[in-house]
């Protein structure tokens, strides 16, 4: 009887550890979904607010110097 109770306790411990592991994975996935969803929502708000499909651009080359330099971040707004 003692051995059987010990085995039963071990089995229940394994099940609880698996449940804890699954819960941690689900929490991390939920956090990732929240972060990605927030980024997409912010992007859409910028698109709507600035009236353009691409409200943020980065200067990739030096062809716009001296006005803009490579790596500058520009916010594009459509008037009208």
């Amino acid at each position: 009887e003692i051995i059987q109770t010990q085995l039963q306790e071990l089995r229940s411990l394994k099940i609880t550890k698996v449940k804890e592991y699954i819960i941690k994975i689900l929490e991390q996935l939920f956090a990732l979904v929240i972060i990605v969803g927030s980024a997409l929502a912010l992007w859409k708000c910028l698109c709507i607010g600035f009236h353009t499909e691409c409200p943020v651009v980065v200067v990739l080359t030096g062809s716009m110097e001296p006005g803009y330099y490579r790596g500058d971040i520009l916010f594009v707004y459509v008037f009208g």
Side-chain angles (χ1 to χ4, degrees):
E1 289 181 30
I2 295 174
I3 295 174
Q4 288 178 348
T5 56
Q6 291 291 335
L7 286 173
Q8 196 170 11
E9 286 180 18
L10 284 174
R11 287 182 188 140
S12 66
L13 282 175
K14 288 181 184 177
I15 290 172
T16 56
K17 285 186 179 183
V18 169
K19 286 180 182 178
E20 289 175 6
Y21 183 70
I22 291 172
I23 288 172
K24 285 182 182 180
I25 289 175
L26 290 175
E27 287 175 350
Q28 290 177 351
L29 285 173
F30 183 69
L32 179 66
V33 167
I34 293 294
I35 291 169
V36 171
S38 298
L40 289 173
L42 177 65
W43 182 260
K44 278 300 178 186
C45 287
L46 287 173
C47 289
I48 292 169
F50 288 170
H51 307 289
T52 182
E53 290 182 15
C54 189
V56 180
V57 294
V58 177
V59 178
L60 297 177
T61 65
S63 64
M64 300 174 103
E65 289 182 7
Y68 303 110
Y69 294 97
R70 188 170 185 252
D72 285 351
I73 298 173
L74 306 175
F75 290 93
V76 180
Y77 181 81
V78 177
F79 291 100

